[in-house]
Amino acid sequence: MRGVLAGAAVATPEAQAALLARHPAAEVLLAEDAAGTPLGFAILFDLPEVVFARSCGNLDDLFVRPEARGQGVARALIAAAISEGRARGWSHLRWIVPEADVAAIALYERIATRADWRSYVVRLDPAASL
C-alpha cells in the first residue's frame, strides 16, 4: 500500500525503514505515547563541520502524525535532538523546512534562530519531488 502526502506518492513505511537501515549514519528519534503507539519521528545525521573542526547535527526529517499535532510532540523531538547534540559536542543543529509549511515555521520561529543562509536543490529525479 502506498501513502499520499500533499498529493505526492511516498514510499510505504516498510520501504522507508529499509532505506534507513541501509544508511549507517541515519539515526531515528521516535516519540511514543504511554501505550507505545508511535506519534512522530525525527531523522538525524551526525555530520562533520569542517569550519569548526567539530561535528554538527542535521535534522533531516521531522514528522508528527496528524492526530498528535499540537500536543508538543515536534517540540519534544527537537529538544531530544538538541540534548543529543549537546552530549556529542555538536557545534549546532540545523534543518530546513518548506516555505509552505506554516505550522512548522511558526514552531521553529519560537524555538530556534533563523539561519542566515539559503537552501538550494538540484532535482535529480522529478518523481521524488514533494
Side-chain angles (χ1 to χ4, degrees), residues 16-17 19-29 41-49 54-62 77 80-82 84-86 88-96:
Q16 293 166 335
L19 177 63
L20 286 174
R22 289 193 321 262
H23 199 299
E27 299 178 56
V28 179
L29 298 176
F41 64 86
I43 300 172
L44 296 176
F45 290 89
D46 189 318
L47 300 174
E49 179 58 66
R54 296 171 64 179
S55 292
C56 71
N58 187 75
L59 176 59
D60 187 65
D61 203 354
L62 177 70
L77 285 165
I82 290 169
E84 186 63 28
R86 284 192 174 119
R88 294 183 188 197
W90 288 347
S91 60
H92 62 278
L93 174 66
R94 63 181 178 215
W95 65 92
I96 60 173

Side-chain angles (χ1 to χ4, degrees), residues 50-121:
V50 177
V51 173
F52 300 109
R54 296 171 64 179
S55 292
C56 71
N58 187 75
L59 176 59
D60 187 65
D61 203 354
L62 177 70
F63 176 79
V64 176
R65 295 175 68 164
E67 63 273 17
R69 292 178 184 163
Q71 299 176 24
V73 176
R75 185 183 295 264
L77 285 165
I78 292 170
I82 290 169
S83 178
E84 186 63 28
R86 284 192 174 119
R88 294 183 188 197
W90 288 347
S91 60
H92 62 278
L93 174 66
R94 63 181 178 215
W95 65 92
I96 60 173
V97 59
E99 291 290 341
D101 196 342
V102 177
I105 291 170
L107 170 64
Y108 302 156
E109 291 287 334
R110 289 191 304 272
I111 65 173
T113 303
R114 187 170 185 159
D116 56 355
W117 59 78
R118 291 180 182 227
S119 179
Y120 294 91
V121 64

